[in-house]
Amino acid sequence: MIAIYARVSTEEQAKHGFSLNDQVRQCQLKAGTNKVKEYIDDGVSGEFLDRPALTKLREDVREGIISKIICLDPDRLSRKLMNQLIITDEFDRRGIELVFVNGEYSKTPEGNLFYSMRGAIAEFEKSKINERMSRGRREKARQGKVLRDFQVYGYRYDKESERFIVDEDEAAIVSLIFDLFTQPNTMVQGLNGIALYLTSKNVPTKRGAQVWHRQVVRQIIMNRAYIGEFYQNRWNTEGMLGNKHRKEEEKVPMKERPRNEWILIPCPAIIDESQFEHAQRLLSESRRRWAQKSKHPYLLSGLLRCGDCGNTMTGRLSNNWGKKVPEYTDIKNTAGAKAKGCGRRVKAQMIEEQVWEQVASWLNNPNEIAAALQQEKTKEPFEAGEIARIEKEIEKTKNARKKLIKLFAASEDGIAEEDIRQELKELTQREESLNNQLLELTNLLNNTHNTEYNMNVMMEAVQYYLSKGQEELTFDEKRDLIRQVVREIRVYEDSVEIYTF
């Protein structure tokens, strides 16, 4: 049976007017008959071998169904010379006659040379097209134009000016999200609480969905577009086009380009920069500050850290002569814990009363809050110690990788290559994780305290506290007020240090 293979990508249809119908018609004329089996890939790039119709054609060739294949041009089979040679060799080994409408293909040295030259030219042309398009997009971005509608919540894309315009309705929701996240609120807590609240109020997402997810809320809070900074050319997506045809482990990941390659596009701001930076500080600690409620709630859950070993201190019930007593400890018994802790323990009632007494004193005397904020500047930020520790861990990891590579190179017995690769992979992943932690902590440290903004936030906490009255405060209200004022509590053998925002 005679087979016709035709392919066109969306890009080629748009730019060059290539038509599948025209390809099929010319191939039928070449075949001299309409009794052919058609294999058509519509809107699929020729960069990859894994295409639905081409895969089916190769399967039918292996099963002996096809005896002759007609194609318009070699670049319809593939835009890459190597892939063209793989396909033609596969067909040749099974005795399949391969015919091109535009030019003949013969198995002579001259024919192979001509075929290879055409394939190389097609691959070169594809690379040049991609390069011109990328250069054009970058130049357009440098002119301050937004390349396409990126579907950023809070904005509309104006095609004529190629700019973002504030969508007032969505912008109001963006402001609400930041307010709910950064201000004391007993009804809505954390990312998940905000997502549930927006869903309950029937607020649609950017794409019109009725259900909000915590990850969408998180992306909004992290998006610097809301303070007027929208970046293009940030992500390198080269090679990702064929991911839908690849196995999971073979997919090409999206990579972030170096910061100096990002192109800043100014856009209308929706959120005040000081509130945005405050939200980033809260977000960095949100996983432990807004942990799910446990069966036995703890007033300071997520705020305590051992001043000596640096481990966070979590609440638990300890046995004291048959009686369950709440306490906080830095001991980590979970499998794979990086730091087991130095064994510090403190009774929950004692430290909770101590911290609440200090916070209540600040709330009753606003002048003390200003003094605490001023004193905070003289303390060594807790991030500084963590940064030093992580830098040491990164250096250890780098040295371990170097030693492993040297050991492998010097080994005469031949250590299992797979084991070496696995260990190197794990060390690389650990180094990447540590670098991400280092970047996060460095950003936190570089975000100097905005005293004016923090004072405004704390004054709101004061007003809320005074309006309720200390005697009427519930456990949840106390906990939220503490989190509004306190950033971190470091516990030492004989002292407790409370860090404000």
Side-chain angles (χ1 to χ4, degrees):
M1 178 178 287
I2 299 175
I4 287 177
Y5 179 75
R7 179 192 64 80
V8 69
S9 67
T10 306
E11 170 192 311
E12 289 167 333
Q13 282 180 315
K15 288 187 173 292
H16 306 294
F18 286 175
S19 167
L20 285 172
N21 292 334
D22 184 57
Q23 287 186 50
V24 171
R25 182 181 59 81
Q26 291 192 52
C27 289
Q28 287 176 341
L29 290 174
K30 188 73 172 179
T33 177
N34 292 332
K35 294 180 180 180
V36 296
K37 187 173 177 62
E38 298 177 3
Y39 298 82
I40 298 175
D41 278 318
D42 188 2
V44 182
S45 172
E47 188 176 352
F48 309 99
L49 276 178
D50 194 0
R51 288 170 255 151
L54 181 61
T55 299
K56 179 61 177 172
L57 172 60
R58 294 167 72 186
E59 289 176 355
D60 289 350
V61 166
R62 285 193 290 269
E63 293 177 7
I65 299 174
I66 304 300
S67 58
K68 182 178 181 180
I69 299 172
I70 300 177
C71 188
L72 180 70
D73 199 89
D75 67 3
R76 298 302 87 197
L77 286 178
S78 178
R79 279 283 191 175
K80 286 192 172 183
L81 174 59
M82 181 59 69
N83 290 343
Q84 286 185 13
L85 296 176
I86 289 173
I87 295 170
T88 53
D89 180 65
E90 187 176 304
F91 293 163
D92 286 345
R93 283 188 284 106
R94 286 172 170 79
I96 305 299
E97 183 183 356
L98 181 59
V99 177
F100 296 108
V101 175
N102 298 331
E104 296 297 330
Y105 168 65
S106 59
K107 299 177 187 177
T108 63
E110 293 81 3
N112 288 333
L113 176 62
F114 179 67
Y115 180 79
S116 298
M117 288 175 63
R118 291 195 63 172
I121 292 169
E123 185 172 349
F124 172 75
E125 182 186 36
K126 176 69 175 179
S127 298
K128 289 297 292 181
I129 290 172
N130 289 339
E131 194 274 334
R132 289 192 194 105
M133 290 178 64
S134 297
R135 187 171 65 244
R137 285 194 293 264
R138 288 194 297 270
E139 183 57 34
K140 194 174 180 181
R142 290 190 182 98
Q143 295 172 8
K145 296 179 180 179
V146 180
L147 299 178
R148 60 180 175 83
D149 187 356
F150 287 91
Q151 293 288 303
V152 180
Y153 194 87
Y155 298 96
R156 288 183 290 106
Y157 177 65
D158 182 32
K159 290 184 178 179
E160 292 186 6
S161 63
E162 296 179 295
R163 296 285 194 278
F164 280 142
I165 300 174
V166 173
D167 183 310
E168 297 299 337
D169 293 337
E170 291 183 356
I173 299 300
V174 171
S175 297
L176 174 63
I177 289 173
F178 275 87
D179 288 344
L180 290 174
F181 191 69
T182 59
Q183 297 175 7
N185 193 304
T186 58
M187 299 299 293
V188 180
Q189 294 182 0
L191 302 175
N192 197 54
I194 295 173
L196 291 173
Y197 178 79
L198 294 175
T199 300
S200 70
K201 297 300 181 182
N202 297 317
V203 176
T205 66
K206 188 68 176 179
R207 302 185 186 279
Q210 297 301 313
V211 178
W212 285 74
H213 296 280
R214 66 188 308 276
Q215 186 59 27
V216 176
V217 176
R218 182 184 181 87
Q219 289 170 353
I220 286 177
I221 293 175
M222 293 178 64
N223 196 337
R224 300 190 69 86
Y226 300 122
I227 57 173
E229 299 177 11
F230 179 76
Y231 290 95
Q232 294 185 139
N233 202 50
R234 177 177 177 178
W235 300 101
N236 184 359
T237 59
E238 185 178 355
M240 292 182 63
L241 185 63
N243 277 353
K244 61 183 178 180
H245 304 304
R246 296 189 179 107
K247 297 178 182 178
E248 193 63 33
E249 62 273 13
E250 296 175 350
K251 288 186 177 181
V252 177
M254 183 166 62
K255 298 178 182 177
E256 192 176 57
R257 290 189 172 96
R259 183 80 184 222
N260 60 358
E261 294 184 19
W262 299 4
I263 301 174
L264 172 62
I265 309 293
C267 64
I270 295 176
I271 300 299
D272 183 75
E273 187 172 354
S274 58
Q275 185 181 21
F276 181 86
E277 296 302 339
H278 181 58
Q280 304 317 300
R281 291 194 291 269
L282 291 175
L283 191 63
S284 67
E285 301 175 356
S286 62
R287 180 174 295 179
R288 59 191 186 89
R289 291 174 64 88
W290 304 113
Q292 292 182 353
K293 293 182 179 179
S294 61
K295 186 177 179 181
H296 303 283
Y298 295 86
L299 193 65
L300 307 179
S301 178
L303 296 178
L304 296 178
R305 185 185 297 275
C306 176
D308 292 324
C309 71
N311 264 10
T312 56
M313 299 182 69
T314 54
R316 72 175 188 182
L317 292 176
S318 65
N319 284 313
N320 186 8
W321 297 95
K323 184 180 179 181
K324 298 290 185 180
V325 179
E327 68 174 13
Y328 295 94
T329 179
D330 66 0
I331 298 173
K332 308 296 181 186
N333 291 324
T334 54
K338 295 175 183 176
K340 297 297 183 181
C342 61
R344 174 149 295 145
R345 298 161 61 183
V346 59
K347 289 184 178 179
Q349 183 180 358
M350 181 188 73
I351 195 167
E352 286 175 356
E353 288 178 354
Q354 182 180 352
V355 171
W356 175 247
E357 182 180 345
Q358 178 61 73
V359 171
S361 174
W362 285 337
L363 295 174
N364 279 312
N365 302 280
N367 290 336
E368 290 191 14
I369 293 181
L373 285 173
Q374 191 63 35
Q375 185 181 4
E376 185 76 19
K377 293 182 179 180
T378 65
K379 291 183 180 180
E380 179 187 2
F382 69 88
E383 292 93 351
E386 277 294 282
I387 287 174
R389 183 186 67 81
I390 290 175
E391 285 177 339
K392 289 180 181 178
E393 288 294 320
I394 291 174
E395 191 61 31
K396 287 180 183 178
T397 306
K398 287 182 177 178
N399 290 335
R401 286 175 55 202
K402 290 178 182 176
K403 288 179 181 178
L404 192 61
I405 292 172
K406 287 181 180 178
L407 178 65
F408 180 60
S411 174
E412 296 180 357
D413 298 331
I415 302 175
E417 185 177 342
E418 283 302 315
D419 293 341
I420 293 291
R421 288 182 182 276
Q422 182 61 32
E423 287 192 50
L424 284 173
K425 181 179 179 181
E426 291 174 0
L427 287 170
T428 301
Q429 290 173 344
R430 173 163 173 73
E431 186 176 343
E432 289 178 357
S433 175
L434 288 168
N435 280 321
N436 290 334
Q437 295 176 44
L438 182 63
L439 178 62
E440 183 177 332
L441 286 168
T442 303
N443 289 336
L444 277 173
L445 191 61
N446 291 336
N447 287 332
T448 55
H449 297 302
N450 188 317
T451 305
E452 181 181 353
Y453 179 75
N454 288 335
M455 277 300 298
N456 291 335
V457 172
M458 292 191 183
M459 285 304 104
E460 291 177 3
V462 169
Q463 292 172 7
Y464 182 82
Y465 170 78
L466 295 177
S467 68
K468 293 287 293 185
Q470 182 172 353
E471 299 301 324
E472 298 182 12
L473 289 173
T474 65
F475 175 88
D476 288 343
E477 288 170 336
K478 279 187 177 182
R479 184 185 57 189
D480 294 341
L481 284 169
I482 291 172
R483 279 162 170 69
Q484 192 62 25
V485 175
V486 176
R487 173 180 55 156
E488 180 98 345
I489 303 167
R490 280 192 276 180
V491 182
Y492 296 91
E493 184 66 32
D494 300 315
S495 64
V496 173
E497 292 186 4
I498 303 175
Y499 288 77
T500 60
F501 282 102

